[in-house]
Amino acid sequence: MPKQSSFFARVWPAALAIGFLLAAWQLYVDLSGLSPTLLPSPARIAQQAWIHRQALLDNSVPTIRATLLGFSCSLTAAFLLSIVMDFSRPLRRALFPVFIISQTLPLVAIAPLVVLWFGFGLMPKIMLVALVTFFPMLVALVQGYQATEQEIALLLHAMGASRWRAFRLARLPSALPLFFAGLRISITYAVVGAIFAEYSGAARGLGIYILNAKNNFRPDLVLAAVAVSATLTLILFGMTALIQRLAMPWIRFEQAAAR
Amino acid sequence: MSPPRLQLEGITKAFGQTQVLDGIDLHVREGEFVSILGPSGAGKSTLFQLLIGGIRPDRGTIRFDGTPLAAGEGRFAFMPQRDALMPWRNILDNATLGLEVQGMSRAKARGRVLPLLADFGLQGFERHYPAQLSGGMRQRAALLRTVVQDREMLLLDEPFGALDALTRTSMQRWLEAMWKRHRWTALLITHDVREAVYLSDRIYVLSARPAQVLHEIRVPLPRPRAAGFQEASAIEANLLDMLFTGQTFAGDKP
Ligand SMILES: Nc1ncnc2c1ncn2[C@@H]1O[C@H](COP(=O)(O)OP(=O)(O)OP(=O)(O)O)[C@@H](O)[C@H]1O
Ligand SMILES: [Mg+2]
């Protein structure tokens, strides 16, 4: 049972903090008598979310689809490019600035343009999610390869391993810790990226739901959709942590040894 | 006397402005255990990098069985200064690494390693990750990974440098016993005088950087050489003398 109790031990402070914030918010709204069209209370948001659950669910599906597809594309591209860049220093030098520039593009300006060029379908959403999630993963991978222990590289050289062999045996696994750090950063951008894309034009999705709720003066529904998106992000974040545990079973012992 | 298997002549190497090796001559014969003893930062690990072809010498020749050593020839089984175990592989798969790189299937490589685990004190730990092992066990795992490659010569770079004194002594005894059985041709780097005397047939004493061979001494003691043995102590004291005077000379240079 130690595993479960340690899970609760790690979760309860966060749960307590969130519970405290929500309680303070509720109390403030109750005491100040603010109108729910200005600042709805958590209880009202929960109540309205429950009433509109079908609409929220229907609009979550396209957002989840865009997030996952965009993220998969971005992950694949980051992985392939990171390998190419690891093997070719000139390419690394040529491409890195391009990707850095891609990160300076303001999403507010880019999102409507991408929608303009590629229409209201899935394509622009995938592209925008990929744009915001690609870079952290690429950087994490390229730096992760370079974090390979010098002595392990020397050892493989002495054993007569080819460059590709050394990559697979040492550089790739060495990159895992940094890769997962990058993955966790990326995944928190992914849902927001999809919502932003929908906000700029879509038939359905949490982004367009938020836009409509705002235009109808329903901040409670805006916040209900925000809560859904936060939950989605938390679930994805939790999944990366789970995948990391499965992919790196040895990390537990290193943490135990470091303690 | 048999001709030397490994022979270095006038090996010189600089990194940029830093002169590291300055005309190193040394040789190792078949079945001989030779140590390189030198102060920290002298350039000992650099010498091994030259042997495994990680870098090339500025001047000098390296011959193996009389012919110049070509890069990537794979005559050496190399053990780096830190154990360089892969944290993501369990002990068994770390030990089979060299065989896998040579093209052996994983199953066959495991078959080769498994019977050796007991000798290396690793039985029952083959599924453990390196992080779960003590320092001494990690070093034995790294040694197992080295010797199982079945190369013509072992290159051991301070295999016990990171261990506590007690573990180190027991590891030295264990390595001597193993060596007596297998008669590996071995070149060992160390800055531990006792270790050099305990394990070696011959010892090269290097100066501080830029490294030169100050002395070459023979250790004609019978094995096993229990610690505290009088003649061994005399040689140890002598070696310490050489190292200290060597360092003063090197310190006098600009
Ligand atoms: N790739 C490199 N580039 C520049 N300088 C280097 C490089 N490798 C080693 N050196 C330098 O060469 C010198 C000798 O290093 P080396 O690692 O060979 O010493 P060592 O005798 O093995 O020392 P130790 O006993 O501490 O392991 C050091 O001053 C080091 O800074
Ligand atoms: Mg060294």
Side-chain angles (χ1 to χ4, degrees):
Chain A
M1 286 298 279
K3 216 167 162 183
Q4 259 196 5
S5 64
S6 86
F7 173 76
F8 284 118
R10 272 192 293 169
V11 160
W12 77 258
L16 201 69
I18 292 170
F20 184 78
L21 277 174
L22 288 178
W25 177 357
Q26 181 75 41
L27 212 63
Y28 177 72
V29 173
D30 285 348
L31 293 179
S32 64
L34 278 174
S35 138
T37 52
L38 198 59
L39 180 66
S41 73
R44 182 181 163 92
I45 296 169
Q47 177 213 6
Q48 289 301 311
W50 182 249
I51 293 171
H52 292 88
R53 60 185 181 276
Q54 193 57 46
L56 280 169
L57 191 68
D58 288 348
N59 283 287
S60 296
V61 173
T63 306
I64 295 172
R65 189 186 299 136
T67 303
L68 292 182
L69 281 173
F71 197 70
S72 314
C73 290
S74 151
L75 181 62
T76 312
F79 183 58
L80 294 178
L81 266 166
S82 72
I83 296 176
V84 172
M85 285 165 81
D86 190 57
F87 276 78
S88 158
R89 193 211 291 258
L91 221 55
R92 194 157 65 230
R93 294 231 169 111
L95 291 181
F96 237 103
V98 176
F99 295 133
I100 291 173
I101 290 169
S102 81
Q103 293 308 292
T104 66
L105 304 175
L107 213 53
V108 208
I110 287 299
L113 284 180
V114 175
V115 172
L116 183 71
W117 296 330
F118 295 96
F120 290 85
L122 200 54
M123 192 59 187
K125 279 106 198 159
I126 291 178
M127 288 180 69
L128 283 165
V129 171
L131 179 74
V132 294
T133 58
F134 170 78
F135 190 68
M137 282 191 293
L138 183 81
V139 173
L141 281 167
V142 170
Q143 288 195 341
Y145 301 145
Q146 289 166 1
T148 306
E149 207 185 307
Q150 191 60 44
E151 306 237 309
I152 290 183
L154 209 58
L155 176 73
L156 282 167
H157 179 84
M159 287 173 169
S162 66
R163 182 80 211 280
W164 175 244
R165 199 80 193 256
F167 178 82
R168 273 192 320 151
L169 286 173
R171 296 180 79 78
L172 195 57
S174 296
L176 283 177
L178 268 174
F179 166 69
F180 277 106
L183 191 69
R184 280 198 293 273
I185 294 173
S186 273
I187 207 95
T188 57
Y189 296 164
V191 178
V192 179
I195 289 177
F196 220 101
E198 290 165 353
Y199 205 85
S200 311
R204 274 182 338 127
L206 282 178
I208 207 73
Y209 186 85
I210 289 172
L211 187 66
N212 289 334
K214 188 202 80 173
N215 290 341
N216 294 328
F217 305 103
R218 291 296 303 271
D220 48 354
L221 289 181
V222 171
L223 289 171
V226 167
V228 171
S229 110
T231 310
L232 286 179
T233 300
L234 276 175
I235 291 172
L236 290 174
F237 193 91
M239 275 164 62
T240 60
L242 196 70
I243 293 171
Q244 178 167 23
R245 277 196 158 238
L246 295 176
M248 304 176 63
W250 64 91
I251 207 83
R252 281 191 295 139
F253 306 115
E254 288 185 356
Q255 285 162 352
R259 235 172 255 147
Chain B
M1 196 173 261
S2 62
R5 297 217 68 185
L6 176 69
Q7 180 137 36
L8 274 61
E9 276 169 15
I11 294 296
T12 298
K13 179 74 192 174
F15 291 111
Q17 295 298 311
T18 321
Q19 187 71 33
V20 178
L21 299 174
D22 185 11
I24 300 284
D25 296 326
L26 64 81
H27 65 271
V28 182
R29 291 179 203 282
E30 174 69 28
E32 207 180 15
F33 199 113
V34 176
S35 290
I36 297 174
L37 183 64
S40 193
K44 305 184 295 297
S45 298
T46 306
L47 205 58
F48 273 12
Q49 281 198 48
L50 289 166
L51 289 178
I52 64 174
I55 50 176
R56 323 198 123 271
D58 299 336
R59 248 174 303 125
T61 53
I62 304 174
R63 289 173 192 280
F64 203 94
D65 289 343
T67 53
L69 196 69
E73 214 171 326
R75 294 191 182 261
F76 305 110
F78 169 59
M79 178 166 167
Q81 190 160 353
R82 281 180 292 269
D83 55 41
L85 293 172
M86 294 178 167
W88 54 87
R89 283 184 165 228
N90 65 32
I91 292 307
L92 183 59
D93 292 343
N94 261 294
T96 57
L97 182 69
L99 296 173
E100 279 176 54
V101 171
Q102 285 174 28
M104 194 181 280
S105 75
R106 206 176 249 214
K108 200 166 165 222
R110 286 179 175 171
R112 275 277 275 289
V113 167
L114 279 169
L116 296 171
L117 284 169
D119 264 358
F120 282 74
L122 294 167
Q123 194 136 50
F125 290 90
E126 53 268 31
R127 303 282 164 204
H128 284 54
Y129 287 105
Q132 295 172 275
L133 265 54
S134 70
M137 292 176 98
R138 290 179 64 120
Q139 295 300 323
R140 286 200 297 271
L143 269 166
L144 174 56
R145 178 192 62 199
T146 312
V147 302
V148 81
Q149 291 174 49
D150 215 8
R151 295 289 171 93
E152 287 161 278
M153 190 169 163
L154 302 183
L155 302 180
L156 311 175
D157 192 348
E158 293 188 34
F160 312 130
L163 301 178
D164 63 274
L166 205 61
T167 314
R168 188 185 311 167
T169 307
S170 77
M171 291 288 289
Q172 287 160 358
R173 291 182 181 201
W174 170 83
L175 182 61
E176 193 199 23
M178 293 293 283
W179 181 81
K180 271 183 71 180
R181 280 212 338 246
H182 298 273
R183 290 285 158 178
W184 298 304
T185 308
L187 189 55
L188 171 92
I189 287 177
T190 181
H191 49 214
D192 179 344
V193 169
R194 176 157 298 168
E195 179 168 296
V197 173
Y198 196 81
L199 293 170
S200 320
D201 298 312
R202 266 185 316 119
I203 302 172
Y204 289 97
V205 182
L206 298 192
S207 69
R209 208 186 63 213
Q212 293 177 323
V213 175
L214 289 178
H215 299 276
E216 178 196 340
I217 69 163
R218 214 161 266 291
V219 186
L221 304 178
R223 296 173 187 271
R225 300 165 178 166
F229 197 64
Q230 261 199 351
E231 287 171 74
S233 314
I235 299 177
E236 279 169 30
N238 194 8
L239 279 167
L240 275 172
D241 250 17
M242 292 175 185
L243 277 171
F244 282 126
T245 42
Q247 265 180 331
T248 348
F249 288 144
D252 289 341
K253 288 177 197 159

